[in-house]
Amino acid sequence: SSSFHVEMTCPSECTNTFAHEIHVFSDFLHMHEIGKQGWSWVHSQSQSIPLTRIEYFAFANQHSSPVNITIRKGDRINTNCVWDSSARSGP
């Protein structure tokens, strides 16, 4: 597929088990050699905050993106990846 999109979720049921808040200072999206795009969001009860958006992922040019966000109990985290596996003949 030239554009295969998957969204993964860390649900609020998971973050509700956290013993304390987590301060996030960096976000790193890693999509192996077939990644095209990626983005992440944190959703709380009052707002949705973007973490990272990579429009043109390049395996040879991966980097961490600085962020400054606190993940609290009940927050939901969504990460989206788009892959291009059209040049591959197998899994």
Side-chain angles (χ1 to χ4, degrees):
S1 175
S2 63
S3 187
F4 184 75
H5 173 248
V6 173
E7 181 175 23
M8 287 79 53
T9 300
C10 175
S12 57
E13 292 84 5
C14 176
T15 61
N16 272 330
T17 66
F18 289 2
H20 52 79
E21 298 176 344
I22 297 174
H23 180 243
V24 180
F25 60 88
S26 180
D27 191 32
F28 181 79
L29 296 174
H30 175 74
M31 295 177 279
H32 298 271
E33 295 176 350
I34 61 173
K36 281 177 61 171
Q37 294 178 302
W39 61 95
S40 295
W41 286 77
V42 175
H43 305 278
S44 70
Q45 291 182 353
S46 62
Q47 61 184 340
S48 294
I49 302 166
L51 286 174
T52 301
R53 183 166 190 100
I54 298 174
E55 292 292 335
Y56 305 101
F57 179 80
F59 183 77
N61 189 27
Q62 298 180 65
H63 63 277
S64 295
S65 299
V67 296
N68 183 15
I69 186 170
T70 300
I71 298 176
R72 295 174 173 83
K73 288 185 173 204
D75 287 355
R76 184 180 84 242
I77 306 161
N78 289 84
T79 299
N80 292 263
C81 297
V82 180
W83 294 287
D84 178 357
S85 62
S86 59
R88 294 193 171 187
S89 59

